[in-house]
Amino acid sequence: MTTGVSNLDNSIDTTNIWLNDILKQLQWQSKISAYQALRGTLHALRDRLPIEESAQLAAQLPLPLKGVYYDGWKPVGKPEKYSKVEFARKVHEQFDLDPDLDLGMIIRAVLRVMYNHMGAGELKDVRSNLPKDMWEWFPEEIRPAEK
């Protein structure tokens, strides 16, 4: 199915590529689960980042994912200063708190796909706005060298 509007069709195709890449990263079969992983991670990032950085991240997303990103967003009181555990819990909520999920693996997979499609620049900025204990989720290529 196409919209007949090339910009929309291209951005829908790009969104499908992202979802398929998440499926490959996690070795899953369900595109719905890939969407839940992406949505949960994007929302947790959106609410944890300063508003300006949050908007800069959104600008890098395919058009349909910008809608997902901003869905339900209330910028008042942002950023929320929650911990690594709370960040993971927010992602977990997208899966109805399924106890069998490896949330670190899910968040890492989504961030890897974002890195593969957006590059290092924006994700380095995102990482620098998060507590250091969350940095382990980011691709090795943008983590600082261990000292």
Side-chain angles (χ1 to χ4, degrees):
M1 175 200 274
T2 64
T3 65
V5 178
S6 63
N7 285 350
L8 288 177
D9 290 340
N10 291 339
S11 63
I12 290 168
D13 290 344
T14 301
T15 299
N16 274 311
I17 290 168
W18 283 44
L19 292 172
N20 288 331
D21 286 354
I22 291 168
L23 289 175
K24 283 183 208 167
Q25 288 282 321
L26 293 169
Q27 300 178 351
W28 287 354
Q29 300 299 312
S30 168
K31 204 174 254 190
I32 292 169
S33 295
Y35 170 77
Q36 290 169 319
L38 182 56
R39 178 183 168 89
T41 303
L42 288 175
H43 281 192
L45 287 170
R46 174 198 73 191
D47 293 341
R48 183 65 177 81
L49 292 171
I51 291 174
E52 184 175 317
E53 185 58 41
S54 184
Q56 289 173 6
L57 174 59
Q60 303 296 314
L61 297 171
L63 187 58
L65 293 181
K66 286 178 187 168
V68 169
Y69 186 80
Y70 283 119
D71 184 39
W73 188 50
K74 294 177 178 66
V76 174
K78 300 300 184 279
E80 296 177 23
K81 298 292 186 181
Y82 46 74
S83 69
K84 180 180 179 182
V85 170
E86 184 65 10
F87 186 103
R89 188 190 66 73
K90 288 180 176 288
V91 174
H92 203 191
E93 288 173 353
Q94 295 296 312
F95 296 92
D96 297 323
L97 302 176
D98 179 344
D100 297 323
L101 296 173
D102 181 337
L103 296 170
M105 183 177 73
I106 290 168
I107 295 165
R108 269 191 223 66
V110 170
L111 290 171
R112 165 64 63 191
V113 168
M114 291 172 69
Y115 169 81
N116 288 341
H117 292 281
M118 294 168 48
E122 186 57 37
L123 274 192
K124 280 184 178 179
D125 291 345
V126 167
R127 185 202 64 208
S128 71
N129 280 281
L130 296 174
K132 288 186 179 177
D133 63 345
M134 292 183 197
W135 290 10
E136 71 182 60
W137 291 330
F138 286 80
E140 301 80 34
E141 295 89 339
I142 61 171
R143 277 193 242 145
E146 297 292 324
K147 293 183 181 181

